[in-house]
Amino acid sequence: MKNSLIASIAVTAGLFAVSAQAATVDMGFDVKSAYVSSGCTYNDSAVVQPWVGISDLKVGDVDLPLALGFWGVMDLGSYSADSSLKRGRFSEIDFNVDLDLASLLSLNENVSLMIGYLEYNYPRSGSEQDNLFVASAGYDLGVFAPYVTSKYFVGGSNEGKWELYLGAGRDFTLATISDTDLTLSCSAEVLYTYTDPDDAPSADGFSCATFGASLGYGIGYVGAEYVWRLDNGMLPSEPFGYEVKWIFSAGLAYTF
């Protein structure tokens, strides 16, 4: 895990160094009441999730349709199901690199089309890292923006697992205050999961749906999400299963 993470950071740093003068860097953090991913609870206490995104890369005058990102989970509270979690320490660090096919193919500006690589690293638990291929497509209809995202685990403890996300979102401008919009963002997403037949238990089906809303102004936001379990067999009630229904959050984001 360490070697792979170090290699990922080195590659990203190298690309950024080549084109830093032409890059857009987005940075921010989210504070959440719990860490829930794909309906599963990985910490039922508060966490901080810092992130960095790098885009608009160039080599000379050549645009690179690539986006790079880092994302992490720092635990602020303990979780009885996982003794490896330590307050003030990172329990997960992720790395991604995405290829913007919509830009590469000069598609309509309302179309989003992406393929990429995603890596989940677990620095404290000693668990094997997860390696994924990701593909996503969407279309902004104006009224709302539907999308579909596919994640396939090609390595790690979840090898052979496949997740399909179907969702849509919409933003509403509620008011403009001092030339800054007050925005309400709403989203809905349903998750279909397939697990390898050799795994125990193996299953496939729609496991959960997530509904979210946030209120943003300037560089900050506050929000809430509700996780609705669709299948008890797909998302059982046990540690690292369906425990937290509501997640409350606040965060800041800034673009350089």
Side-chain angles (χ1 to χ4, degrees), residues 1-244:
M1 180 280 294
K2 293 182 179 179
N3 291 338
S4 179
L5 180 58
I6 291 172
S8 299
I9 294 173
V11 169
T12 303
L15 285 171
F16 180 68
V18 169
S19 54
Q21 73 282 1
T24 297
V25 179
D26 298 294
M27 301 181 65
F29 68 88
D30 304 295
V31 180
K32 295 192 174 184
S33 59
Y35 174 30
V36 177
S37 178
S38 302
C40 298
T41 299
Y42 294 100
N43 193 342
D44 59 4
S45 299
V47 298
V48 176
Q49 298 174 341
W51 53 269
V52 177
I54 304 170
S55 58
D56 298 328
L57 294 164
K58 285 188 176 183
V59 175
D61 294 328
V62 179
D63 293 324
L64 297 178
L66 294 175
L68 310 169
F70 293 98
W71 179 90
V73 178
M74 178 183 288
D75 299 286
L76 300 180
S78 60
Y79 181 37
S80 59
D82 190 348
S83 60
S84 71
L85 299 185
K86 303 295 181 182
R87 294 177 183 176
R89 305 283 184 88
F90 282 93
S91 58
E92 183 178 337
I93 300 174
D94 301 346
F95 164 79
N96 70 277
V97 55
D98 300 330
L99 176 63
D100 185 354
L101 293 178
S103 174
L104 187 65
L105 300 174
S106 300
L107 300 180
N108 185 291
E109 63 179 9
N110 292 331
V111 175
S112 61
L113 186 62
M114 176 277 293
I115 59 173
Y117 168 78
L118 179 59
E119 183 176 287
Y120 299 153
N121 296 276
Y122 313 104
R124 296 202 59 82
S125 68
S127 299
E128 185 180 3
Q129 71 185 40
D130 286 314
N131 309 94
L132 302 83
F133 285 137
V134 183
S136 181
Y139 192 87
D140 188 350
L141 297 172
V143 177
F144 67 101
Y147 66 87
V148 55
T149 298
S150 174
K151 296 181 180 180
Y152 183 71
F153 291 73
V154 295
S157 58
N158 290 303
E159 184 174 354
K161 183 179 181 181
W162 176 58
E163 296 178 339
L164 182 68
Y165 299 82
L166 305 171
R170 185 177 181 184
D171 296 333
F172 303 88
T173 300
L174 302 181
T176 301
I177 306 171
S178 300
D179 297 324
T180 301
D181 290 337
L182 178 66
T183 303
L184 174 65
S185 299
C186 300
S187 63
E189 182 178 78
V190 63
L191 170 62
Y192 180 92
T193 303
Y194 168 84
T195 55
D196 194 298
D198 294 332
D199 292 342
S202 63
D204 61 278
F206 288 98
S207 57
C208 67
T210 303
F211 304 94
S214 64
L215 194 63
Y217 180 78
I219 64 172
Y221 86 94
V222 293
E225 291 180 301
Y226 179 76
V227 181
W228 177 29
R229 179 170 58 181
L230 301 177
D231 189 323
N232 293 1
M234 291 295 300
L235 196 59
S237 297
E238 58 184 23
F240 309 113
Y242 186 66
E243 297 179 69
V244 174

